Amino acid sequence: MNQLKQIHAHTLRNGIDNTKFLIVKLLEIPNISYAQSLFDLIPKPTTFLYNKFIQAYSSHGPPQQCFCLYSQMLIHGCPPNPYSFTFLFAACASLSSPKHGQKLHTQFLKLGFEYDSHALTALIDMYAKCCLLSFARKVFDEMLDRDLPAWNSIITGYTRSGDLVGARELFESMPLRNVVSWTAIISGYSQNGMYTDALQMFLRMEEEKGVRPNEVTISSVLPACANLGALEIGERIEIFVRKKGFLRNLFVSNALLEMYAKCGRIDMAKRLFDETGSGRNLCTWNSMIMGLAVHGRDKEGLELFHEMVMGGTAPDDITFVGVLLACTHGGLVKQGWQLFESMEKYFSITPKLEHYSCMVDLLGRAGKLNEAHDLINRMPMKPDAVVWGALFGACSFYGHVELAEKAANSLLELEPRNPGIYVILSNVYASVGRWDGVAQARKLMKGMQITKAAGYSFIEVDGSINKFIVEDRSHPSSAEIYSVLDEVSTKMKLLGSPEELHIEIENCAC
């Protein structure tokens, strides 16, 4: 920066015009205000310089300035070119301003630029980001030369809108794919909770020649591993990450930490947390606190929270979900209340539904059912199914019929076709011998033709995820699986009591 100021001073002293060079270099830094002051001194700026400023404001803001510059171009008779529109469409996307975008689109066509693939790709992206996917698809379909960026842009638009079927159809019809294409479909599945599909696409990508995942791909697939419990694949990804030096990327290291925490390998998560050191951000702290909390290591989770605050990192609402969960799992009612009340008092964070849900769960598990119900009645917002579900679960555990009925009625208003509510209410009645209530709950369930969905389990074997439901025979190796299961069952019966089985296991371990 100092060198550029020296060059500027030299040009002024010697009457040399290096303005264009200086502006370009200043925008690269970027020091837009300084560059703008030089630009304003130019009597007739070129299209090149206008484009440079439109690009800078589009990337660094404020994007509204792009439209002011475009208006200046037209007033001063400086003709825009396709690059002008590429950056202007990007500015519209940043502002989610479809009206501006449509007006510019009209001018773009009038000027005869409809064959420029770069500008058209920016236009597709703009329409997709402005939730006008049909407009984006029309532009894409009318393109004569659809290059890779255009394909990637429309696929990303479909995934962003949640239309994964449409995105997959486009993906499969691509003449050529690169890492951006694969990442778009993998991240789309992952962000929309379709973790099995995300993982399958990643494994398929690994078999593709000439394509290797980048940091964004890894950050997208690791949440799928975390939610499916695909530890073996996650461990294999870590080896690849370390080999490529991707661990320096905080998004990657945080995703890897969260994967280990969710897969139950808190030791590995803690190792990564310690390895990140001073590079930690709030997401790193939150993932580690949450991981410790859900695995019953409440004391460590709370200690980490205090270490974070003392170190100068301000918590957010996600942090407090983690610490309140730690209190819930540790049965720390007093500490939970203190943390809950400190949110607004010391950190100016207004408690949300999830914080009230944690508190209701904490009080409910501790047997303080009336206190939990009182808290629900004092909530500043309408309680959702999670809040009532926490109370309902606690009432079921402690056999509190009256509150269980209140919670069930509130839940049925929110989720009338949730079979779990009827089943749990029936169990509550059964636990206190209220057989008339059991019959009534089952009658209601039958009358509304509600059936309970079969539970299922995932198991990872040799890097492949297998899904099983009760008495499932869809697996290609089901004959061998049931043969082994029968053998195990027979041996257990021969061993007799659980005590004898425990002794046998200990002998095997020795």
Side-chain angles (χ1 to χ4, degrees):
M1 186 63 210
N2 287 332
Q3 188 180 1
L4 289 175
K5 285 182 178 180
Q6 288 170 7
I7 293 169
H8 187 202
H10 177 74
T11 59
L12 290 172
R13 282 196 305 270
N14 295 283
I16 304 166
D17 187 8
N18 277 331
T19 310
K20 180 181 172 182
F21 169 80
L22 286 167
I23 286 173
V24 171
K25 290 298 177 185
L26 286 164
L27 291 175
E28 285 174 2
I29 292 175
N31 188 330
I32 301 176
S33 60
Y34 191 175
Q36 183 74 58
S37 65
L38 295 178
F39 180 79
D40 292 339
L41 299 172
I42 301 172
K44 286 186 177 181
T46 61
T47 301
F48 172 81
L49 284 177
Y50 270 114
N51 286 347
K52 280 291 178 184
F53 273 92
I54 292 170
Q55 182 183 19
Y57 282 118
S58 176
S59 301
H60 305 289
Q64 294 93 333
Q65 192 64 25
C66 299
F67 309 130
C68 296
L69 286 164
Y70 178 66
S71 297
Q72 282 180 37
M73 285 181 80
L74 300 180
I75 291 165
H76 295 143
C78 184
N81 62 19
Y83 288 106
S84 313
F85 285 95
T86 300
F87 308 132
L88 286 164
F89 291 145
C92 293
S94 299
L95 290 167
S96 295
S97 177
K99 285 186 179 179
H100 274 110
Q102 287 172 311
K103 286 178 184 177
L104 288 165
H105 185 187
T106 303
Q107 291 167 32
F108 173 78
L109 295 174
K110 282 180 179 178
L111 290 165
F113 298 147
E114 65 268 25
Y115 301 113
D116 188 272
S117 60
H118 294 291
L120 288 171
T121 299
L123 182 59
I124 290 167
D125 188 57
M126 183 273 291
Y127 276 132
K129 284 180 177 175
C130 291
C131 302
L132 294 171
L133 192 58
S134 60
F135 285 66
R137 184 59 188 262
K138 188 174 185 295
V139 173
F140 176 78
D141 288 341
E142 289 174 355
M143 284 180 74
L144 297 177
D145 181 24
R146 298 174 194 149
D147 58 8
L148 255 176
W151 280 97
N152 293 339
S153 188
I154 192 67
I155 288 169
T156 303
Y158 270 80
T159 61
R160 195 183 288 118
S161 72
D163 184 357
L164 273 301
V165 174
R168 183 64 175 267
E169 286 174 359
L170 284 162
F171 179 84
E172 297 298 348
S173 61
M174 289 181 78
L176 188 69
R177 303 182 190 102
N178 62 8
V179 65
V180 179
S181 320
W182 286 97
T183 302
I185 198 73
I186 291 166
S187 64
Y189 279 130
S190 190
Q191 287 165 13
N192 284 277
M194 301 170 72
Y195 301 117
T196 304
D197 296 284
L199 198 54
Q200 285 173 350
M201 290 304 288
F202 177 76
L203 296 173
R204 183 178 151 191
M205 177 191 177
E206 285 188 317
E207 295 171 2
E208 192 89 352
K209 289 182 180 179
V211 182
R212 286 289 173 268
N214 59 21
E215 290 102 322
V216 184
T217 322
I218 298 299
S219 300
S220 301
V221 74
L222 282 170
C225 296
N227 284 278
L228 294 171
L231 182 59
E232 286 180 31
I233 297 172
E235 289 173 330
R236 182 156 55 78
I237 288 172
E238 187 190 356
I239 294 168
F240 174 81
V241 161
R242 289 186 179 279
K243 185 179 177 182
K244 292 290 181 180
F246 291 169
L247 208 61
R248 291 189 294 270
N249 184 304
L250 204 52
F251 290 102
V252 173
S253 60
N254 284 346
L256 196 58
L257 188 158
E258 187 177 38
M259 184 276 296
Y260 277 123
K262 284 190 174 180
C263 288
R265 291 300 306 271
I266 295 297
D267 54 330
M268 299 295 284
K270 189 65 167 64
R271 176 176 60 79
L272 279 163
F273 179 82
D274 293 336
E275 203 173 322
T276 309
S278 60
R280 300 168 192 147
N281 63 4
L282 184 57
C283 181
T284 319
W285 288 97
N286 285 349
S287 295
M288 195 66 239
I289 290 167
M290 191 76 76
L292 291 165
V294 297
H295 286 90
R297 294 166 69 165
D298 48 279
K299 187 180 177 183
E300 291 172 71
L302 293 171
E303 284 174 355
L304 204 62
F305 168 74
H306 292 299
E307 182 187 331
M308 181 190 88
V309 173
M310 293 300 290
T313 302
D316 64 0
D317 55 324
I318 298 169
T319 318
F320 278 98
V321 171
V323 292
L324 290 174
L325 275 174
C327 293
T328 299
H329 287 280
L332 307 171
V333 176
K334 185 180 177 182
Q335 203 161 349
W337 270 122
Q338 288 172 347
L339 286 163
F340 182 77
E341 289 165 357
S342 75
M343 289 177 69
E344 276 191 297
K345 190 175 180 181
Y346 299 116
F347 301 102
S348 301
I349 299 171
T350 303
K352 296 180 180 177
L353 265 170
E354 50 264 41
H355 303 108
Y356 281 98
S357 178
C358 288
M359 284 304 299
V360 170
D361 194 25
L362 169 59
L363 294 167
R365 288 188 189 215
K368 298 179 181 291
L369 304 179
N370 289 318
E371 196 174 333
H373 188 236
D374 289 342
L375 179 62
I376 292 174
N377 290 333
R378 295 199 312 271
M379 283 174 61
M381 72 284 286
K382 188 178 179 181
D384 65 356
V386 180
V387 174
W388 283 114
L391 179 63
F392 190 41
C395 292
S396 171
F397 182 81
Y398 286 101
H400 198 305
V401 179
E402 186 184 346
L403 276 182
E405 287 175 330
K406 287 181 181 178
N409 288 333
S410 297
L411 279 168
L412 288 170
E413 285 179 17
L414 297 166
E415 299 178 342
R417 299 198 62 79
N418 184 341
I421 301 167
Y422 298 93
V423 172
I424 293 171
L425 185 59
S426 175
N427 292 341
V428 171
Y429 285 133
S431 68
V432 294
R434 285 271 305 274
W435 306 113
D436 57 328
V438 173
Q440 182 66 19
R442 293 191 176 177
K443 185 180 177 182
L444 280 170
M445 192 173 174
K446 190 176 180 182
M448 292 184 71
Q449 297 182 325
I450 296 169
T451 54
K452 190 175 183 296
Y456 58 86
S457 299
F458 285 113
I459 186 168
E460 182 186 18
V461 180
D462 296 330
S464 178
I465 301 295
N466 299 274
K467 180 181 174 181
F468 292 96
I469 60 172
V470 177
E471 297 181 356
D472 186 5
R473 293 190 179 272
S474 61
H475 195 278
S477 303
S478 61
E480 293 93 330
I481 291 167
Y482 277 99
S483 174
V484 172
L485 184 62
D486 290 340
E487 187 181 339
V488 171
S489 181
T490 303
K491 285 183 178 179
M492 287 174 70
K493 286 175 183 175
L494 289 170
L495 284 167
S497 68
E499 290 79 10
E500 290 171 320
L501 178 61
H502 180 69
I503 292 165
E504 183 68 22
I505 289 168
E506 284 186 339
N507 290 338
C508 290
C510 295

